[in-house]
Structures are given as structure tokens and as C-alpha cells.
Amino acid sequence: MNDLIPLMVIVPIIAAILLNLFIKYNTTIKILSFLVAIVLPIIPILSNYGLHYFGGHAPLMDNGTLLNSLPSYISDGPLSTFHIGITYSFESLQKILIFFLFVVGFLCIFTTIGERKRTPGSYMFLMLMGLAAVTAMLLSDDIFHMYIFFEIAVVAQVGIILASTDNQRYEIAMKYMILGSIGGPILLTGIGFLLGLVGSVNITDIVYVVRNGLVNANSPVFLFSFGLIFFGWLYSVGLPPFHTIKSAVYSKAVPSGSALLQALSVVIFISLGIAIFRIYSSVPFIGVFIIFFSLCGMILSLTMAIMENDFKRMIGFLAVGELGYIGLGFGLGTKLSLTAALFQGLNEMIITATLFIGFGVVLYMTKTSDITKLGGLIEKNPKIAIIVLLGGFAMAGVPPLNGFQSKLMLVQSALSDNFPELAVIMILISIVTFMTFIKAFHSVYLKPKPKNLVIENSDVPRSSVLVMVVLIAICIVLGVVPTLVTDGFSGFVGGLI
Amino acid sequence: MIDTQLAALLSSGSFIIIGLYAAVFIDNIIKKIIGLSFIEEGANMFLIALAYRTDGVVPIFLPGMTPEWFASNSAYPLPHALVLTSIVIGASTLAVMLAIAMVLYRKHGSLSASVILGDKHE
Amino acid sequence: MDLYTMICDSIRGFKSNIRKDPITNQNVSSAMAAELTIVSTVLTAAIMLRHLNVVLTILIVLGLVLYLITGMPLISKFKREQSDSLNKMMFYMILTLGILVTSIYWGFKP
Amino acid sequence: MIEYVVMIVGVLGSILALVQRDLLKAAILTGITGGCIAFLFQILLAPDVALTQAIVGAAIVPVFLAITIHKTKRVGEDD
């Protein structure tokens, strides 16, 4: 049913507004947010592939009676194929990614409900609003619509940071907003250049116009718009020079919030990246730019992660560094590499959620995130230690977990595209990731326990453990049967190139 | 005399540059935020200036106009619709930033960006 | 021999460069790991320029080797530059924007 | 002719707002710039946007700024 497509955006928004109304009633908020979160993943499974035209504004081509009543310079020209209203397209990529995004969102909401005695309604509001915004970005076929929902997602992200109890949250939120208020309008200016050149903000129309030579794809205006939109993309995903602020953002939020923030970033990365890839695929050097910034992101974030002593910040840097892999896949631009990049994005969402929630348990128990003051926690709860270790294996790419499959695909695509150096770098970075993770794991769990370490809450919330088990189960399933999702992704990529 | 559209584009560009200058070089955080609002307004004005048509009419279809005449004389209404949304988004972002600035002032007792947004906690 | 002493000195210099944190073996070893990661990945990435021009690649790789070895404790500089200070973030952001727009607008004009 | 004058006033107002030491004056000058931009939107054939911009840029934003300045500190440090 195509009518279900807009519901994926509408349901979370309405639920968020309702939660804001019932902000005084704790039980109502718990029940309502739980119900909404459990209903959300069902919607993308039930709905069919297809397009949804808002307000019924189909292109003129599809509307015979209206087309015949128009003068011939409209009905015969390219104008008749233009999309008049906002269009949502729902294909295999959207189906898989939105399903897993909602699953991660559900697990984060579930963790929050379990960890806190009193569930804050405004926090739930922000989480649902962020979910709705990135879903709209993924569904939308309209680059300005993406910009609007991206700004909404930024405000929701800032709210999620502010909802934590960290001492530095206001400073980081302010920095993120200041940088965002420069990155956002620059993205808007790039969209403006594109709009002035083409006259439409619909991506399919822009691609049609560029492919058919109606617009000179080498004109300085087109290239300039590429530069500005690319800069906005760098800001929105946290590649350099924004990797420091992005990792700071991850490290200042509540752990379940950080898990959601990383999921939001990945989806923003993929949706805007696909838009850029589709529009500017004729520009010859687009891959060079994307590969350069992705490599910088991987190297800089990884080296910063090794040097870090705060495990929240370390996981934040690792998460940002992993985003570089998706960028490399986009930069290579072959069918295999794009499929691998999308798969890697999906894996990253799940794996980083595991790690954030797993180390969040440590933070919950000891109230400190400095690894020099921690140690010996494996005696307290060996189960969680094993789950976190599995998450680290998945992130580093140890078989048979899902990270291995996507990284193997990426390495293969780099080799087959005559870039063996990229393959070498990917493997190197993967090794260093593993080393960094083991350093954190060793000093939190294996090192002898320092004498002055006080364990304040020794009872770990069951919900967190359950959530981690579910996430690791997803990791293993995707690692053993990767064709569950890669078939859908490669089908989508086949239509893209 | 340069025509109106070019002048509007130039002034929107100067708004963006003034705003960038303020955001980078001015230390006071309220003035930084004012500069950011100028960047936002410059981007909006750029979109509106793109839609302008010399000797055109407002894109409202009035009785007595033929569709052909309207199509060849009116300004392009799509950017207007986009800018309406963008203005509101800009104002709400500004409000959030000002609210955070108030909290930061209460915490640090200063409005200087190098004091409150520096690197001293590392 | 000269080169060898230089590398040894720079490794000894790590301890003095990481003065902010309490000095542990773990800190020094992680700094060295980061240093080696940067050197190896940057050199490997530089080889990718062979798709443009082989002679240029050899020159650039040799230059990078010399630069990376002579300026050996790189990581402390990197860490200082990537701090949480807003001014540094803003500086690198404007730098990136400038380089991006300039190279796209003038460098690639056909 | 009037549009060139308004543009110059708007750009000058933005520069003046940023060099003020008294932040309240800066807020008022921001309002003047917002009003000039609203007027320019009217000239650039976008009357509907001009209405919104007049409300947001000339009234709401300066009031927000003034409230913040009232709650914090009126005179900025030297910069």
C-alpha cells in the first residue's frame, strides 16, 4: 500500500507532539512511547515499493486530461516530466534502512525507559523527532525538503545532547550550533545555485536535465553548487574538518542517545550522499573529493581515538572514523562498492549502538569514563564484557560478524577497481581500530581493579542487557546471511548507476 | 547603473561575507549569533533574488491575465515558497542558540567565546 | 646512521611531548601507534597519485618520507590542532571551505 | 532608485550592528537590517515572503536578542 509511505514520517511526529502534551504523566509517556516505538518498524515492512506524490501532484505526463489542455511548449518539452509536488520514493534501500533505523530507535527508547525511573517526555519527543526527520530525508526525492529536515534533525540532535548530565554539554551544543549555522546556509546557497540553473529542486528532474544536456554540466555555476553542497554534506556527516565536533557530540550525550545520534548521522550520510552521487555523477572528479575527505576522516579520527583516555570520546572518534568507510565506497562509485558502502552504513548503525550502550553500562555503574581510573569490571558482569567484545570484533571486521562481510566487500571493490592502496589502507585502519578497541576493553575490564574505584550501581538494568543481546544477534545474523540485505541494496544500486 | 537583480545578488553576498567575518573574528558570543543570522538572511535573499524578473509582476494570477502573458512576465514562485520555510527554521535555530548562550552566561559569567568555548577542560 | 639517531631521538621525545597527561607506558605506546599509523597511511595514500603521473608520485612520496621523518613527533602537533576549541574548529572550517571552493571553481574549469 | 538606497542602508546597518559596543544598540540595528531585507523582498516581487520576513527579521529576532541581553550583560567586552 503506497498510502503507508508518508506514515513513516507522520506517525513519529504525531507521537512526539502527543508526548509533549502528556509531559506530566510518567506512565502514559512510558506506555505511549513504547507502543509507538514498537509499531514503527512494522510500517516499512507492510508498505509496498513505489512513489508517493504529496497532494496528488503527479507529473504532468501521468495526467492525460490536464496534459492535453496545456499548450504544446509545455506538453512536448521536458517540463511535462517534472515533478510538481514533493515526492517520496520508497524502494528496497529505504525499506531496509528505515526498518533497521526504527529498530535501533526502538532499542534506544527501550533502554532509556529501563535506565531511568522517571522517563522525560521531552527526551522522547526529541528522539522521535530525530527519527522522523532522518526518515523524511531518506524518503524524500527533493533536495530542499532534505535540507529542511536536516535542520530539524540538527535541532533534535542538539536537544539530545542537552538532555544528558555531562558537565560540558552546553558548550559542545553551542559549538555544534554555531558550526551548523554556517554549514546549513552554505548548503542552502548551493541548493540555490542548483535551483537557479535547473528551475527545480527535485533530484530526478535535476538528473534528467543534466543527463539530457539541457544544462551544461561543466559550467562554473554547476561546479560551484557542487562545492557548496559538498561542504554542507561534510558538516552534516562529520567528516573533516568536523570530526572533532561530531565526536564531542557523541561523547557528551547519554549513551543510548549517542547510539541514536550515530544512527541519525549514518542515515543523513547515506541520503545526502546518494543525492550528491546522483546529481553530480557526470562531474569527473567527484570521487577524488569524496575519497580524499573520507581518508582524512579515517586517519585523523583513528589517531585521535588511540590517544584518547576517555572511553566515550574514544568510541565517538571510532564511530566517526568508521563513517570514512562508507565515504570510500561512495567515492569508488562502482556497483559493488556502493552496495558495500550501504551495507557498511547499516552495520555501523548497529555495531556502534552496541558499543555505546555497552560502555554506557560501565558509565552507569561507575559514573566515570576515564579509562585510567577503571579496571577489573569483568568480575562484576562477564556477560556484558563478552557482548561488548563481540561488538568490538564486529567493528574491527572479524568473521563471521557483519562488519567482516561489508569490509570484505569494500576491499574487493577497491581491488577490482585498480586501487590496491585503498584496500591496504582499509585493512590497516581496521587493525588500528581493533587495537584501539582492545586498549579500551583491556583497561575497563581486564586490568586489575584500582583501589579507589567505587561501584555505585552494581545492578545493571536488564533492559540494557536485553538490547545488547538483540543487537549482537542482528550482527551475527547479518554476518552469516548477508544476502538478506545486500540483494536489496544491489537492486537499488543497479537502478542508480 | 547596475540592474536590480545584480545589486540584490551582490548585497546578499555581502551579507554572507559580513556574517562569516563576524562569526569567525568577533569574540562576543551574542555578536557571533547576530552574524550567523546575517548569513541566514543572505542565503534567503540570494534565493529571492534568483526568482526576480526585470519588469515582471508579482506571481499572483489576477483576473484579466492570460496564462501565456503571466508565464512570461511573473517572477518564479518556487523559491518564495522555499524561503518562507527557511526563514522560520532560521529564527528557531537562533532562538535555541540564544537560550544556550543565556545558560552559558549563567555558568561562566562571561560572553567571550574564547573563555566559554575554549579548550580549558581538556 | 644520522637518520637512525634522528628517529631514536624523536621516539625519546615522545615522553616530553605528552607532558599534559600523567606519563604511563600505555600513553607512550599509543602515541607511537598513532604516529606509525599516520606515517604508513599517508605514504600509502600518496602512492595513489600514480593514476595521475608516475614521476610526480615518486617525487611526492620521497618528499613526504623526508618530511615525515624529520618532523617525527607529529602526533602531539595533530592533537593540539584538533582540540575542542571553537576558534580552531572555525579556522579549519573556513580553510576547508576556501580550498574546496577555490579548487572547484578555478582548478577544474575546462 | 529606492531599492539601491535600501540595500546600502541594510548592509551598513549590519556592519554598524557588529561594531557597536552596546549590545542593545546592536540588536536594534539588526532589526533595521531585517526590515530593510523585508522591504527588498517586496521590491523583488515576493510580497508574501516580505510579510514573514518583516515579522521575523524586524520584530521577533531583535526581541529575542533584547531578552537575551537583558538576561546577560548589556555592554560587550572590547573585541
Side-chain angles (χ1 to χ4, degrees):
Chain A
M1 290 224 311
N2 282 359
D3 296 338
L4 285 178
I5 294 174
L7 279 187
M8 286 174 236
V9 182
I10 293 169
V11 169
I13 291 185
I14 288 180
I17 293 168
L18 277 181
L19 283 176
N20 229 5
L21 284 181
F22 296 123
I23 210 153
K24 291 267 168 61
Y25 309 99
N26 192 20
T27 338
T28 322
I29 285 176
K30 272 191 185 173
I31 295 171
L32 186 62
S33 50
F34 187 79
L35 276 182
V36 170
I38 215 164
V39 165
L40 278 179
I42 301 174
I43 305 174
I45 292 181
L46 287 183
S47 51
N48 294 338
Y49 297 153
L51 299 170
H52 181 87
Y53 303 111
F54 271 87
H57 293 299
L60 289 172
M61 286 285 270
D62 301 348
N63 195 341
T65 50
L66 183 61
L67 189 66
N68 290 333
S69 67
L70 288 171
S72 64
Y73 64 87
I74 294 179
S75 59
D76 294 341
L79 271 184
S80 60
T81 64
F82 272 27
H83 296 71
I84 305 163
I86 291 169
T87 312
Y88 274 8
S89 82
F90 185 71
E91 291 175 50
S92 53
L93 164 82
Q94 279 88 352
K95 187 167 198 156
I96 298 166
L97 267 185
I98 291 175
F99 173 70
F100 281 102
L101 173 73
F102 282 160
V103 167
V104 171
F106 163 69
L107 295 176
C108 292
I109 288 174
F110 187 64
T111 321
T112 317
I113 293 176
E115 268 182 5
R116 297 195 177 188
K117 301 249 169 3
R118 193 169 166 74
T119 316
S122 45
Y123 186 53
M124 293 292 160
F125 166 82
L126 291 165
M127 285 177 127
L128 287 171
M129 214 58 193
L131 281 178
V134 296
T135 312
M137 284 184 72
L138 198 57
L139 284 172
S140 168
D141 197 21
D142 193 312
I143 193 162
F144 185 79
H145 197 71
M146 279 188 186
Y147 164 74
I148 290 296
F149 274 102
F150 166 62
E151 292 277 335
I152 294 173
V154 168
V155 176
Q157 283 175 335
V158 168
I160 291 176
I161 308 165
L162 293 184
S164 81
T165 52
D166 195 285
N167 206 12
Q168 288 283 323
R169 60 189 189 279
Y170 286 107
E171 284 82 352
I172 295 295
M174 190 77 203
K175 287 174 202 168
Y176 191 56
M177 288 221 85
I178 287 178
L179 294 177
S181 304
I182 298 176
I186 282 176
L187 180 63
L188 180 61
T189 318
I191 294 172
F193 274 108
L194 213 52
L195 174 68
L197 202 63
V198 179
S200 169
V201 282
N202 189 287
I203 298 171
T204 314
D205 295 347
I206 297 172
V207 173
Y208 177 85
V209 166
V210 173
R211 287 246 171 99
N212 289 314
L214 300 172
V215 160
N216 179 12
N218 287 323
S219 71
V221 179
F222 192 65
L223 297 181
F224 203 68
S225 76
F226 167 68
L228 297 179
I229 292 181
F230 186 75
F231 183 78
W233 185 64
L234 288 184
Y235 160 67
S236 63
V237 303
L239 290 177
F242 300 104
H243 59 291
T244 42
I245 184 68
K246 201 78 178 181
S247 60
V249 162
Y250 290 151
S251 67
K252 295 300 176 253
V254 191
S256 57
S258 317
L260 191 71
L261 286 179
Q262 167 74 358
L264 302 187
S265 295
V266 168
V267 176
I268 292 173
F269 191 117
I270 288 176
S271 50
L272 267 177
I274 285 177
I276 289 178
F277 187 82
R278 283 175 69 192
I279 294 172
Y280 298 103
S281 58
S282 62
V283 182
F285 49 84
I286 166 179
V288 180
F289 275 91
I290 299 180
I291 287 180
F292 176 76
F293 279 97
S294 308
L295 274 182
C296 283
M298 285 160 79
I299 296 171
L300 293 178
S301 325
L302 247 292
T303 46
M304 289 300 285
I306 305 176
M307 302 282 289
E308 203 58 57
N309 270 334
D310 177 351
F311 68 73
K312 279 169 92 181
R313 193 73 194 263
M314 184 190 276
I315 303 288
F317 269 123
L318 282 183
V320 176
E322 289 288 296
L323 287 175
Y325 282 98
I326 318 179
L328 287 184
F330 275 109
L332 287 171
T334 59
K335 195 180 169 193
L336 181 64
S337 75
L338 277 172
T339 314
L342 297 175
F343 188 29
Q344 167 73 17
L346 171 60
N347 293 340
E348 210 157 287
M349 239 157 65
I350 296 160
I351 296 167
T352 16
T354 321
L355 288 183
F356 274 125
I357 294 175
F359 279 102
V361 170
V362 177
L363 192 70
Y364 179 83
M365 283 166 63
T366 62
K367 298 272 186 287
T368 176
S369 63
D370 191 343
I371 58 174
T372 54
K373 290 177 189 158
L374 286 167
L377 288 180
I378 198 163
E379 297 162 9
K380 285 283 166 194
N381 36 20
K383 281 180 217 155
I384 291 179
I386 289 171
I387 295 176
V388 170
L389 187 65
L390 279 177
F393 281 158
M395 179 180 250
V398 174
L401 294 156
N402 54 355
F404 166 71
Q405 298 286 357
S406 57
K407 287 188 182 173
L408 181 68
M409 279 169 83
L410 276 170
V411 169
Q412 277 174 344
S413 65
L415 287 176
S416 62
D417 206 30
N418 198 13
F419 282 105
E421 299 91 346
L422 276 186
V424 171
I425 293 177
M426 279 190 243
I427 294 168
L428 256 175
I429 295 284
S430 182
I431 294 169
V432 181
T433 308
F434 189 60
M435 192 201 115
T436 315
F437 171 76
I438 285 297
K439 183 191 161 197
F441 187 79
H442 171 262
S443 33
V444 172
Y445 285 105
L446 304 178
K447 204 171 68 178
K449 189 179 163 192
K451 286 200 184 86
N452 51 2
L453 178 67
V454 186
I455 293 178
E456 297 187 3
N457 300 317
S458 55
D459 51 332
V460 179
R462 288 231 184 95
S463 57
S464 304
V465 183
L466 187 67
V467 163
M468 285 161 65
V469 169
V470 171
L471 285 169
I472 283 294
I474 296 176
C475 282
I476 294 173
V477 168
L478 285 183
V480 176
V481 205
T483 46
L484 271 182
V485 291
T486 45
D487 284 351
F489 285 152
S490 62
F492 177 81
V493 171
L496 205 65
I497 296 177
Chain B
M1 205 76 192
I2 52 177
D3 65 331
T4 316
Q5 187 173 21
L6 189 58
L9 286 175
L10 284 179
S11 57
S12 75
S14 54
F15 275 125
I16 292 180
I17 288 174
I18 291 169
L20 269 179
Y21 176 85
V24 175
F25 290 107
I26 293 186
D27 196 41
N28 189 305
I29 200 157
I30 305 253
K31 282 192 191 168
K32 252 191 208 311
I33 294 172
I34 292 177
L36 296 173
S37 82
F38 287 152
I39 301 181
E40 184 81 39
E41 282 173 353
N44 291 339
M45 199 170 151
F46 171 71
L47 281 176
I48 293 289
L50 281 179
Y52 178 73
R53 191 193 281 266
T54 315
D55 301 329
V57 293
V58 170
I60 299 171
F61 193 76
L62 295 171
M65 293 177 179
T66 60
E68 284 81 12
W69 184 87
F70 181 73
S72 56
N73 278 293
S74 85
Y76 189 38
L78 176 63
H80 299 177
L82 305 185
V83 167
L84 272 181
T85 330
S86 173
I87 287 174
V88 177
I89 293 254
S92 49
T93 330
L94 186 90
V96 174
M97 276 197 287
L98 288 174
I100 301 177
M102 273 193 244
V103 176
L104 284 176
Y105 178 76
R106 219 171 294 154
K107 188 175 164 190
H108 294 274
S110 164
L111 282 177
S112 159
S114 57
V115 173
I116 57 181
L117 299 180
D119 190 28
K120 67 181 160 79
H121 64 280
E122 281 288 327
Chain C
M1 200 203 102
D2 202 12
L3 201 64
Y4 177 74
T5 38
M6 224 148 62
I7 293 175
C8 284
D9 282 347
S10 68
I11 287 174
R12 261 181 229 121
F14 274 123
K15 272 194 184 174
S16 55
N17 272 311
I18 317 166
R19 204 171 283 148
K20 268 190 212 165
D21 306 324
I23 298 169
T24 58
N25 285 329
Q26 206 179 21
N27 278 342
V28 178
S29 64
S30 47
M32 274 178 64
E35 180 90 29
L36 291 177
T37 315
I38 281 193
V39 172
S40 53
T41 41
V42 166
L43 284 180
T44 322
I47 303 176
M48 261 193 297
L49 287 172
R50 78 195 154 89
H51 289 273
L52 285 179
N53 189 343
V54 177
V55 182
L56 185 75
T57 313
I58 295 171
L59 288 178
I60 287 182
V61 169
L62 284 178
L64 269 177
V65 167
L66 272 182
Y67 172 73
L68 290 176
I69 287 181
T70 48
M72 194 60 170
L74 291 163
I75 196 69
S76 50
K77 288 175 212 157
F78 271 73
K79 192 163 162 68
R80 214 179 308 132
E81 286 308 306
Q82 296 175 70
S83 65
D84 274 351
S85 146
L86 181 72
N87 288 336
K88 281 199 174 123
M89 286 178 188
M90 206 76 112
F91 170 73
Y92 284 105
M93 183 173 103
I94 298 295
L95 191 72
T96 316
L97 181 63
I99 291 174
L100 205 61
V101 167
T102 320
S103 64
I104 284 177
Y105 191 76
W106 279 288
F108 292 93
K109 207 149 66 167
Chain D
M1 196 55 223
I2 182 100
E3 58 260 33
Y4 300 109
V5 179
V6 174
M7 278 171 205
I8 291 166
V9 170
V11 174
L12 277 182
S14 68
I15 295 174
L16 280 178
L18 294 172
V19 296
Q20 293 296 323
R21 275 201 69 198
D22 188 350
L23 289 173
L24 206 55
K25 278 184 196 161
I28 293 164
L29 283 166
T30 315
I32 288 176
T33 307
C36 287
I37 290 178
F39 191 78
L40 275 177
F41 284 177
Q42 171 71 33
I43 290 171
L44 293 169
L45 305 177
D48 44 346
V49 189
L51 281 176
T52 320
Q53 171 68 26
I55 297 165
V56 171
I60 293 180
V61 169
V63 167
F64 279 173
L65 284 169
I67 292 171
T68 316
I69 292 159
H70 176 70
K71 295 258 181 189
T72 55
K73 190 162 58 170
R74 181 162 169 181
V75 181
E77 294 97 356
D78 280 327
D79 43 30

